[in-house]
Amino acid sequence: MPQPPPARPGGRILIDQLQAHGVDTVYGVPGESYLAALDALHDAPVRMVVCRHEGGAAYMAEAHGKLTGRPGVCFTTRGPGATNALVALHTAYQDATPLILFIGLVPRGHTDRASFQELDLRGTFGASAKLVETIDDAARIPEYVARAFAVASSGRPGPVVLGLPEDMLTDTVSVADAAPLPVPAGGVAPADLGALEALLVAAERPVVLLGGGRWTPRARAGVRAWAEAWSLPVAVDFRCQDLIDNEAEVYVGPLGYGRDDVLADRVREADLLLCVGTAPGDVATDGFTLLPSDGTGPRLVQVLPDAQPPGVLHPATLTLLAAPEAFGDAVRTLRPEAPVPWAVRTKRDRAAHLAFRTPVPDEDPLDLATVFAVLGERLPENAVVTFGAGNHAIWAQRFLTYKEGTRQLAPRNGSMGYGIPAAVAAAIADPGRRVVSIAGDGCFLMNGQELATAVTEGAAPVIIVLNNSTYGTIRQHQEQTYPGRVSGTGLGNPDFAALARAFGAHGETVTLTEEFGPALERSLACGKAALIELKVTEGRLAPGVTVASLRKESSHV
């Protein structure tokens, strides 16, 4: 007769479930409400990365999920600790990133009594998570954890929140571990494949749009092979530039903020839009203006890993329920029977993209176009590039080429403060891989304290801070709407290079274009976390945009 599993405290059971689900790293800030789990981590082969703020910790877990495709894991304590992590949950929810947030809670007997740091989990996180649950019985930890991993990874990925009452984690029970649950990938039926082929044969001006989550190397290869066989022009959703090798002859650029006008016109003129992994949302379609909503727009093929209600603005002609890998497997051998009529157009769009992404030098003493050209030449093909939100990201989006092995970790929900934690997490996950983070001065100081985490953990990202002493994106809008009336956008900044050195990192300051190359080489070779502060020429806000140019434009309106 089989023997019952040995009795274990809840904290040990929880960490054993993480091991069973292949978790090797968790991020967090310690709290008294989950001491039993921390104690179990002491003897477990699971690395606990101790962060300096729960927002930074949760961003690291989110970036881990983006990079690996497996749920990132974060631990926080109750109340303020948990709510500090909410920003990363919103990012994971909008960016379709698998993430699990474990939150230590007040003891079960203290609930609903306005206890110290008590928190209503569902009320706080319900709108930004796929699932929110509290584990009140230690014997059910394996069940809840297995479900959490499956929900976070299935369909359209996203965040899951699990509450851990403090006293539940110290209960000792006998329960077996739970095996990981399967994650369905969907598929493309033969009839649907035939319908897709018929739509392609009837088209004259098709466009492919890639985005969303659940992209694997196999998915990328399959979709690329299909697109190349049909000479289909491939665009990507906002901050999804690593979904196809940017050197592919069918790649025509990114949509969203900072996109090329030529590409926007291409979408307006399309008679067939094939969306794989994403829907035509507001960012990719310029606030839903690129696609008509009166029924005169292109036919739409929608490939998603999760069933969604029929689109109201842009109903799909063909809907396929498949993750990108399943779709790529189905279409990679699909071939046209005759030359496609849009091949010349695709070549023209490709040429337009190459022209758009070629840096055009400015006359600034520190020319950022040249800086990013130098950076792009120096990065290996498998580099990880991270950034947060703001005008500083436009240079990284437009002038860096994301090749077959390059990964882009950036928040599609426009969340500032993301780039530094993401870079630290990427450097921890793969120490042999080059990681570079592009930060604005405003963005850096939202989570720059995680540079201490990088130094402590021996992680060696290179951080490039563009310092123009302003919240650049808002200043640009301000100058366009209220020229000359600067209010609420100016910044007083520290010496970023000295700040980096105070953390124990390598720090340099660059004020002239010719100084950047040598500073980059020293930073790449220093063997530890490094920061290069770029003293942006006064008035520079974006490529081709200065305060003076905006005021000149406004004077002619």
Side-chain angles (χ1 to χ4, degrees), residues 252-295:
V252 297
L255 289 169
Y257 304 120
R259 57 57 179 162
D260 185 8
D261 289 341
V262 173
L263 182 57
D265 289 339
R266 183 75 171 92
V267 174
R268 285 192 188 95
E269 299 165 359
D271 63 352
L272 177 64
L273 182 61
L274 305 113
C275 297
V276 183
T278 188
D282 62 320
V283 176
T285 63
D286 290 7
F288 302 111
T289 63
L290 296 185
L291 303 179
S293 57
D294 58 2

Side-chain angles (χ1 to χ4, degrees), residues 217 220-221 224 242 244-246 381 402-407:
R220 289 175 172 85
R224 177 180 176 178
D242 61 351
I244 183 170
D245 188 341
N246 294 183
E381 291 195 3
Y402 300 84
K403 300 178 182 178
E404 188 69 36
T406 311
R407 293 301 310 276

Side-chain angles (χ1 to χ4, degrees), residues 19-104:
Q19 290 179 245
H21 284 78
V23 174
D24 55 18
T25 305
V26 300
Y27 305 87
V29 175
E32 68 274 20
S33 56
Y34 68 96
L35 283 176
L38 287 172
D39 181 70
L41 281 167
H42 182 275
D43 302 317
V46 177
R47 181 179 186 178
M48 171 71 172
V49 176
V50 180
C51 305
R52 309 311 292 263
H53 188 274
E54 290 88 357
Y59 273 144
M60 289 188 201
E62 198 277 349
H64 187 100
K66 267 195 177 81
L67 185 64
T68 66
R70 301 186 302 275
V73 176
C74 179
F75 278 85
T76 76
T77 194
R78 60 204 184 212
T83 51
N84 278 343
L86 182 55
V87 61
L89 256 72
H90 184 266
T91 303
Y93 192 79
Q94 289 218 330
D95 288 23
T97 305
L99 170 68
I100 299 177
L101 177 64
F102 290 102
I103 300 175

Side-chain angles (χ1 to χ4, degrees), residues 144-169:
Y144 277 99
V145 172
R147 181 162 62 241
F149 274 82
V151 170
S153 303
S154 296
R156 185 182 187 277
V160 171
V161 177
L162 285 184
L164 309 170
E166 182 178 347
D167 57 332
M168 182 278 297
L169 290 174

Side-chain angles (χ1 to χ4, degrees), residues 56-313:
Y59 273 144
M60 289 188 201
E62 198 277 349
H64 187 100
K66 267 195 177 81
L67 185 64
T68 66
R70 301 186 302 275
V73 176
C74 179
F75 278 85
T76 76
T77 194
R78 60 204 184 212
T83 51
N84 278 343
L86 182 55
V87 61
L89 256 72
H90 184 266
T91 303
Y93 192 79
Q94 289 218 330
D95 288 23
T97 305
L99 170 68
I100 299 177
L101 177 64
F102 290 102
I103 300 175
L105 298 179
V106 300
R108 287 165 291 186
H110 294 187
T111 58
D112 301 325
R113 291 177 172 173
S115 300
F116 178 64
Q117 297 184 338
E118 187 179 0
L119 184 69
D120 177 356
L121 286 193
R122 286 193 172 91
T124 303
F125 297 101
S128 298
K130 292 182 70 176
L131 180 69
V132 181
E133 295 185 317
T134 296
I135 310 176
D136 284 322
D137 182 354
R140 298 186 64 185
I141 291 174
E143 171 194 344
Y144 277 99
V145 172
R147 181 162 62 241
F149 274 82
V151 170
S153 303
S154 296
R156 185 182 187 277
V160 171
V161 177
L162 285 184
L164 309 170
E166 182 178 347
D167 57 332
M168 182 278 297
L169 290 174
T170 60
D171 286 349
T172 299
V173 298
S174 174
V175 62
D177 294 333
L181 298 172
V183 177
V188 180
D192 288 333
L193 193 61
L196 174 64
E197 184 175 16
L199 287 170
L200 283 169
V201 170
E204 296 180 357
R205 300 177 304 280
V207 174
V208 175
L209 175 63
L210 309 182
R214 298 187 64 173
W215 284 87
T216 63
R218 183 182 177 115
R220 289 175 172 85
V223 171
R224 177 180 176 178
W226 165 67
E228 289 180 333
W230 290 80
S231 296
L232 289 166
V234 177
V236 294
D237 207 344
F238 183 52
R239 296 180 169 174
C240 292
Q241 288 159 270
D242 61 351
L243 297 188
I244 183 170
D245 188 341
N246 294 183
E247 300 289 18
E249 290 300 316
V250 292
Y251 177 65
V252 297
L255 289 169
Y257 304 120
R259 57 57 179 162
D260 185 8
D261 289 341
V262 173
L263 182 57
D265 289 339
R266 183 75 171 92
V267 174
R268 285 192 188 95
E269 299 165 359
D271 63 352
L272 177 64
L273 182 61
L274 305 113
C275 297
V276 183
T278 188
D282 62 320
V283 176
T285 63
D286 290 7
F288 302 111
T289 63
L290 296 185
L291 303 179
S293 57
D294 58 2
T296 62
R299 292 185 173 185
L300 175 65
V301 174
Q302 187 68 75
V303 184
L304 290 171
D306 195 19
Q308 290 188 350
V312 176
L313 284 176

Side-chain angles (χ1 to χ4, degrees), residues 320-332:
L320 306 178
L321 189 61
E325 185 171 299
F327 177 76
D329 286 347
V331 299
R332 67 186 307 151

